[in-house]
Amino acid sequence: MFGNRITLFKLFGFAVRVDMSWVVLAVLVTWSLAKGWFPYTLKETYPDIFYWLMGAAGAIGLFASIIFHELSHSLIAKKYGLSISGITLFIFGGVAEMEDQPESAKIEFLTAAAGPVSSLVLALALYVINTIGAAGQWPASITAVIGYLVTLNVLLALFNLVPAFPLDGGRILRAALWWWRDNLRWATRIAARIGSLFSLILILAGVLKVVRGDFIGGFWWIMIGMFMKRAADMSYQQVIMTRALQGEPVGRFMCLNPVTVPPHITIRELIENYVYRYHYKMFPVVEGERLAGCISTRQVKELPREAWESTPVSAVMEQCSAENCIQQEADATKALARMSQRGVSRLMVVSGDRLLGMVTLKDLLQLLSLKIELEDNER
Ligand SMILES: [Zn+2]
């Protein structure tokens, strides 16, 4: 889902990224504001360039509104000790990337509610500013942009409050069900089913719109519906996986004695004697007893071929970090989440600066399928 994304800046310690699909949205929003919304809402006519500038301002406002919404989720989540790796804006809005599942229904509720509440508060604040502006005879172009942002933030809050998981409203519903029956799996299953149903209704409504001749509107509904369907199904699968892997420490199924690389060998030696021989993409770099870092084909690719002969592994290796290491007592679900987030298939299991073993996606998935086969008989 997050293919090409670039990090824009950091805000309160959260990296704000945009998916390349957001560029498409920015252009679409600017265009539809400049050609549709503003010429329609403004009473007087202005030169074209005016509408384009207002459209761009509206698109920037949309961008800021979504960041504000996601940031509110992230700040509340952080307050309760959930780690958020960043905020990514993609074509349909934003996602605060949460690494952990909330620990209690109350935390889930507060984290989910923070977004829509903050959007409504922002809408109210902008409305007050606009009222002041109207009284103070501000130019109509400015009040029109602010007016658009009021509507936008109200819509953002309302759409997110639809009780369809993984939308905020669905999370609130899940929190309520979770609190009621004290069963997170069941609560997620119900919330995800409603989410799936809602997305099917959206797709169907979109198709109807297209049939009636509203191609652009219908197309949006279909796209949003498809996106939500995927997200709802994925969150349901996540429940099954969590159910099977939760409480299993990584250390239980790591492979011991992994192949390690000494830091002084050259990249050419690494490729000839390790990569081509063992077919792994990543090797831990160990010096004596100490884990120094890791080297992956990613770093090798960034190096020009001529430098392979002269560059030692230690010069280009990646330092140990929370991205490539995991503690042996950490939950297996955490390893899985980290792998999917970073797009890697191997993590080093560490204790202090010692390498204990490796945990691989393949092993995790194999264990997962065995566990589901043997233990999943509960409806
Ligand atoms: Zn939200």
Side-chain angles (χ1 to χ4, degrees):
M1 180 154 52
F2 306 112
N4 301 310
R5 54 186 193 178
I6 43 171
T7 304
L8 291 182
F9 47 81
K10 279 207 161 187
L11 210 59
F12 297 103
F14 305 112
V16 176
R17 309 184 190 94
V18 283
D19 187 88
M20 289 322 279
S21 64
W22 211 88
V23 178
V24 180
L25 179 71
V27 172
L28 266 175
V29 168
T30 308
W31 175 73
S32 54
L33 287 178
K35 286 284 162 197
W37 180 276
F38 288 131
Y40 179 76
T41 38
L42 285 173
K43 288 182 193 82
E44 306 152 60
T45 38
Y46 292 89
D48 254 14
I49 179 75
F50 252 81
Y51 292 121
W52 283 108
L53 286 174
M54 288 164 73
I60 293 169
L62 169 69
F63 180 82
S65 299
I66 294 174
I67 291 181
F68 185 74
H69 177 108
E70 298 307 326
L71 198 65
S72 313
H73 285 306
S74 305
L75 286 172
I76 298 292
K78 197 178 170 185
K79 182 170 179 270
Y80 289 104
L82 299 166
S83 58
I84 301 273
S85 62
I87 297 167
T88 298
L89 298 181
F90 58 100
I91 199 156
F92 299 118
V95 177
E97 285 147 41
M98 231 185 279
E99 279 194 357
D100 312 313
Q101 296 269 5
E103 274 159 38
S104 72
K106 185 188 147 208
I107 297 176
E108 164 95 327
F109 173 79
L110 293 174
T111 310
V117 168
S118 67
S119 290
L120 286 175
V121 169
L122 184 61
L124 188 69
L126 287 168
Y127 179 76
V128 170
I129 292 174
N130 220 17
T131 313
I132 296 170
Q137 307 283 304
W138 288 3
S141 51
I142 292 178
T143 48
V145 172
I146 301 177
Y148 157 73
L149 291 176
V150 172
T151 312
L152 175 84
N153 276 287
V154 170
L155 287 178
L156 203 62
L158 291 183
F159 179 72
N160 273 292
L161 277 174
V162 171
F165 199 81
L167 292 179
D168 298 338
R171 291 185 185 275
I172 292 171
L173 173 70
R174 178 170 85 153
L177 294 171
W178 184 6
W179 174 79
W180 178 37
R181 283 227 187 146
D182 196 25
N183 186 338
L184 175 62
R185 292 175 219 155
W186 172 78
T188 314
R189 195 155 56 221
I190 303 294
R193 270 186 200 159
I194 297 174
S196 215
L197 188 71
F198 176 73
S199 53
L200 285 176
I201 293 172
L202 265 185
I203 295 171
L204 202 69
V207 171
L208 278 177
K209 266 173 142 1
V210 170
V211 170
R212 286 194 185 153
D214 178 5
F215 291 103
I216 296 179
F219 170 77
W220 276 108
W221 286 40
I222 293 170
M223 290 297 283
I224 295 173
M226 278 165 63
F227 168 75
M228 278 191 55
K229 177 93 176 64
R230 214 180 98 113
D233 293 347
M234 264 167 56
S235 56
Y236 179 57
Q237 282 162 12
Q238 212 180 1
V239 177
I240 298 181
M241 282 210 266
T242 313
R243 170 161 60 178
L245 289 182
Q246 209 161 37
E248 294 282 349
V250 163
R252 245 184 98 177
F253 44 89
M254 64 181 175
C255 66
L256 299 164
N257 307 317
V259 181
T260 62
V261 170
H264 56 80
I265 63 164
T266 66
I267 295 298
R268 156 130 353 260
E269 286 172 306
L270 170 81
I271 291 168
E272 294 296 332
N273 301 337
Y274 292 90
V275 178
Y276 290 162
R277 187 160 157 211
Y278 299 104
H279 313 147
Y280 297 138
K281 280 188 178 159
M282 188 267 263
F283 293 90
V285 181
V286 174
E287 188 165 30
E289 292 276 276
R290 199 180 69 87
L291 177 66
C294 68
I295 181 88
S296 73
T297 46
R298 245 183 240 176
Q299 282 106 40
V300 173
K301 265 192 247 163
E302 283 168 16
L303 204 67
R305 250 192 124 86
E306 312 84 73
W308 286 10
E309 207 72 64
S310 56
T311 313
V313 162
S314 57
V316 287
M317 71 182 182
E318 196 182 303
Q319 297 300 313
C320 292
S321 68
E323 307 208 348
N324 52 34
C325 293
I326 194 154
Q327 303 290 323
Q328 64 169 326
E329 63 277 359
D331 216 87
T333 49
K334 195 157 188 163
L336 207 58
R338 196 165 293 178
M339 283 179 192
S340 79
Q341 234 161 32
R342 319 284 177 204
V344 296
S345 57
R346 309 182 85 206
L347 291 174
M348 301 186 282
V349 184
V350 294
S351 166
D353 64 352
R354 296 270 310 270
L355 176 72
L356 301 173
M358 296 287 278
V359 55
T360 69
L361 184 62
K362 207 174 128 206
D363 290 345
L364 273 176
L365 293 179
Q366 247 157 21
L367 179 91
L368 186 68
S369 78
L370 280 173
K371 285 204 77 165
I372 288 172
E373 200 179 309
L374 295 173
E375 293 171 20
D376 189 49
N377 41 22
E378 154 192 357
R379 280 290 111 189

